[in-house]
Amino acid sequence: MTEIRICHLYPKEMNIYGDRGNIAVLQKRLEWRGYSSSITPISTGDDFNPTIFDLCYLGGGQDRDQMLVAYDLQKKSAAIHSAAKDGMVFLWVCGGIQLAGAGYTDSDGRRIPGVGILDLDTSAGKSRLIGDLVLNAELDGETSTLVGYENHAGRTFLGPDATPLGSVLKGHGNNGADQTEGAVQERVIGTYMHGPILPKNPWLADKLLTWAIEHNTGEIPALSSLDDSLENLAQQVAISRAGMKR
Ligand code: GLN
């Protein structure tokens, strides 16, 4: 049985709003299709060997949490870069998207360095961008609606090498100004969407799994379809709650 190997970076320090729920979705959707999976927590001080994973996950965190992990993340930066170049899949959420970029200047003006696997930079604004988020997302030429919620001080602006994950239909997104949300470069995805993002967005979960299985086996899998009626209903409820028509 093919085992898909997932590393969960800083699970204790970077896990606000229940973002670790994303890991459970990835595991179950693999299991339901006959794949096994391993989840390896990587904390500060642990080695990070990029060649033994297919997907790297990092959740959100407050400025203080980001400061706690930033120094260790810098020590892992070269390995993370080579993994991204090798086509490993990344899903880094909120504080994660900020650390995937050049860095984050927090509300006290302190600079928290990022690893630069996404061409973007972030500085804290005077207010927090909070609320429901609805996007029109595009990956690999396919489009889908994504729902979640956001709560961040950071204003993120993308450089030329990064593409937005989607355009904001409802909410603030990367910076509350240019209608972009998230960032994608090759198989690296950063997003501000909490929820956690994956339970209500099975299309995104399966896109990540398709990439991760391809990274593991060298072949693009044809994932069997699942009964996503509950997931789709949850997404529809979130769209209505965001004040948009179903
Ligand atoms: N500390 C960052 C900010 O406030 C990220 C917050 C988060 O992960 N929700 O912008």
Side-chain angles (χ1 to χ4, degrees):
M1 181 187 283
T2 303
E3 177 180 86
I4 303 306
R5 308 152 302 173
I6 298 169
C7 98
H8 186 178
L9 280 180
Y10 312 119
K12 289 194 288 301
E13 302 89 341
M14 297 288 283
N15 173 47
I16 51 175
Y17 312 126
D19 278 345
R20 77 170 66 238
N22 291 316
I23 298 280
V25 171
L26 293 170
Q27 275 194 299
K28 285 312 280 182
R29 296 184 76 85
L30 282 168
E31 184 191 309
W32 289 331
R33 280 125 167 183
Y35 292 92
S36 65
S37 61
S38 59
I39 310 297
T40 305
I42 303 266
S43 292
T44 50
D46 292 345
D47 289 337
F48 175 69
N49 172 359
T51 61
I52 61 171
F53 297 112
D54 301 302
L55 188 148
C56 178
Y57 176 74
L58 175 59
Q62 297 306 357
D63 295 13
R64 187 185 154 282
D65 308 319
Q66 289 170 283
M67 196 60 98
L68 282 177
V69 304
Y71 176 69
D72 185 78
L73 190 64
Q74 286 304 304
K75 290 198 275 186
K76 296 174 168 62
S77 180
I80 287 168
H81 262 270
S82 72
K85 238 201 240 83
D86 167 57
M88 184 195 288
V89 183
F90 287 75
L91 175 66
W92 286 17
V93 177
C94 202
I97 184 176
Q98 297 172 348
L99 292 174
Y104 169 52
T105 305
D106 74 10
S107 38
D108 297 326
R110 287 173 305 190
R111 183 70 174 163
I112 303 173
V115 291
I117 51 173
L118 285 174
D119 181 15
L120 55 87
D121 206 329
T122 305
S123 297
K126 290 201 172 18
S127 61
R128 295 189 70 81
L129 302 179
I130 300 173
D132 291 306
L133 252 177
V134 182
L135 302 189
N136 183 38
E138 178 170 348
L139 288 170
D140 287 350
E142 294 168 29
T143 59
S144 182
T145 301
L146 297 182
V147 297
Y149 72 86
E150 60 188 322
N151 181 341
H152 53 103
R155 275 40 172 194
T156 292
F157 290 89
L158 273 52
D161 293 339
T163 307
L165 171 58
S167 49
V168 175
L169 301 176
K170 186 83 180 178
H172 304 284
N174 285 331
N175 49 54
D178 64 11
Q179 300 307 309
T180 64
E181 199 295 322
V184 183
Q185 244 168 282
E186 307 292 335
R187 297 285 161 91
V188 179
I189 294 183
T191 178
Y192 273 109
M193 296 183 99
H194 296 292
I197 181 171
L198 295 183
K200 297 190 192 83
N201 300 296
W203 171 81
L204 179 60
D206 283 354
K207 184 56 78 179
L208 292 166
L209 291 178
T210 299
W211 290 351
I213 294 166
E214 182 190 1
H215 180 264
N216 181 289
T217 64
E219 276 154 43
I220 301 175
L223 291 182
S224 53
S225 58
L226 298 172
D227 173 7
D228 286 332
S229 44
L230 206 53
E231 292 82 349
N232 295 330
L233 176 62
Q235 186 183 88
Q236 288 305 315
V237 168
I239 289 171
S240 311
R241 191 183 61 197
M244 289 187 61
K245 290 238 173 316
R246 288 197 179 195

